[in-house]
Amino acid sequence: MVERWDRFGRAAAYGAAAALVPYLVIKVSWVVGSLLGLLPVGRGFSLGGWLVLNTVTIGMAAAGITLGLALVRPWGMRIPGWLVGFFAWVGSGFLVSILPFVVVSALVNSGTSSSGGSRTSGGDAAMPGWEAVLLQCSFVGTGIALAIALPAYLWRRWPHALRRPERPRTRTSSGAVWPAVTGAVTGLAWLYWAAGGPLGIAHRDERQASWHVLVGVSACWALVGSAAVLALVRRRSTRLPYPLLLALAWLGSGSMCAWSGWRLPATVYVALAHPSDVGYPENLAVAVALHVTAVLTGAGIMRTLVRGERRRVSVPGSAQQSAERVGRRP
């Protein structure tokens, strides 16, 4: 059973890398076409800003393809663990957490190419329909494949990380309480907006259905990540499997840090430059504060997970250290 799951995970890793290739090709064509004057610049951007944005997303796509290959190729086991972990955390935060948004947006027929495009691709709402579909398929395909390939890689390299600790704690460290609290506050604020709450909203008429779905999904991941890390640290009796709690804390923290970290510069730019053809429904100062809080919260949750794992592998002569040595073996 384990060998079959490992083979499935290896195939998914190749699939994750392959699914991002269309996204990479489209972004390169946008940059080249804009430089040659063959393609229009995205709405709300100057030529320089458009080139910078898409160059960044090209680098992100290339990093995603490299990550997919690192999860299956032998050289991926020799890369420093912190480096693989960071890119896997950010990548899964970007790609896996957006899957509910894509599904729900399709169900409500809200047109994900409008506000959803600003989150997923940085593209223009006026892009051809086939490009929008292909970009969404790249994200969905990579997200699903990464959700399968990453646990298989973790099991090969750090099998102890997915096992529940033998000795439960009775205390909850303060380092885990504050990200759980700030994550819950941020998630509740986003959930309030998603439900139609007016406080903190500057332009009510710009709240489209897809915006409500996007904010609602972000709220759910913030709340889920906060609850999961609190359950992991307190380690009280729960029916949820330990690997599932780890996955929820991992995805929730990655979603907050990755997406708010991505949206924060754009929100600051709109607040300072006041472009005439771009506007956000929420009050920009409130939005910036929530994004900063989300980034810090996501990093705090991941720090809690990493510190807990370091305590486990610090036991002399443990099986965990043996597994680490095997993972570093060329």
Side-chain angles (χ1 to χ4, degrees), residues 4-321:
R4 181 182 302 176
W5 178 51
D6 184 66
R7 290 196 299 268
F8 195 40
R10 291 176 183 273
Y14 284 116
L20 272 180
V21 173
Y23 179 91
L24 178 65
V25 173
I26 289 176
K27 285 311 188 92
V28 171
S29 69
W30 285 4
V31 170
V32 175
S34 299
L35 286 174
L36 298 179
L38 301 177
L39 294 176
V41 175
R43 181 172 61 91
F45 289 93
S46 63
L47 176 60
W50 181 248
L51 294 177
V52 169
L53 173 66
N54 285 284
T55 300
V56 170
T57 55
I58 287 173
M60 293 170 62
I65 294 173
T66 304
L67 173 63
L69 295 177
L71 296 180
V72 64
R73 300 302 302 165
W75 51 265
M77 301 293 288
R78 296 192 293 268
I79 299 177
W82 68 267
L83 186 60
V84 178
F86 175 76
F87 279 99
W89 176 57
V90 174
S92 59
F94 268 121
L95 299 169
V96 180
S97 66
I98 202 176
L99 297 179
F101 168 71
V102 176
V103 174
V104 176
S105 295
L107 292 176
V108 300
N109 195 23
S110 59
T112 57
S113 60
S114 55
S115 67
S118 63
R119 174 171 177 169
T120 59
S121 61
D124 190 0
M127 74 175 73
W130 66 269
E131 281 192 351
V133 171
L134 198 55
L135 290 175
Q136 292 288 2
C137 288
S138 289
F139 272 90
V140 172
T142 305
I144 295 175
L146 190 62
I148 300 172
L150 183 57
Y153 174 87
L154 294 176
W155 183 261
R156 290 195 303 271
R157 187 163 185 176
W158 302 291
H160 59 279
L162 302 180
R163 300 192 183 106
R164 184 183 295 272
E166 296 181 359
R167 294 182 179 181
R169 294 186 194 171
T170 57
R171 289 185 177 182
T172 301
S173 63
S174 59
V177 172
W178 74 260
V181 173
T182 56
V185 171
T186 303
L188 289 175
W190 283 338
L191 193 62
Y192 170 78
W193 281 352
L199 295 179
I201 299 297
H203 306 285
R204 299 184 183 183
D205 55 339
E206 295 187 11
R207 294 187 296 181
Q208 301 179 2
S210 56
W211 179 86
H212 286 277
V213 175
L214 176 61
V215 176
V217 170
S218 299
C220 290
W221 279 118
L223 293 173
V224 166
S226 301
V229 72
L230 193 60
L232 284 171
V233 174
R234 300 182 72 175
R235 293 176 188 165
R236 291 185 176 181
S237 58
T238 176
R239 295 182 179 180
L240 294 178
Y242 185 76
L244 178 59
L245 288 175
L246 281 177
L248 294 177
W250 175 285
L251 292 175
S253 61
S255 177
M256 284 188 285
C257 195
W259 281 117
S260 285
W262 171 258
R263 298 169 69 187
L264 180 60
T267 305
V268 172
Y269 167 77
V270 172
L272 298 178
H274 301 288
S276 58
D277 52 353
V278 175
Y280 290 161
E282 57 266 43
N283 179 281
L284 296 180
V286 177
V288 168
L290 288 176
H291 288 322
V292 171
T293 304
V295 170
L296 295 177
T297 298
I301 292 177
M302 178 50 62
R303 179 174 178 268
T304 300
L305 298 179
V306 171
R307 290 182 63 183
E309 185 58 29
R310 284 177 177 174
R311 294 192 191 99
R312 294 177 61 185
V313 301
S314 62
V315 179
S318 64
Q320 289 94 326
Q321 290 179 324

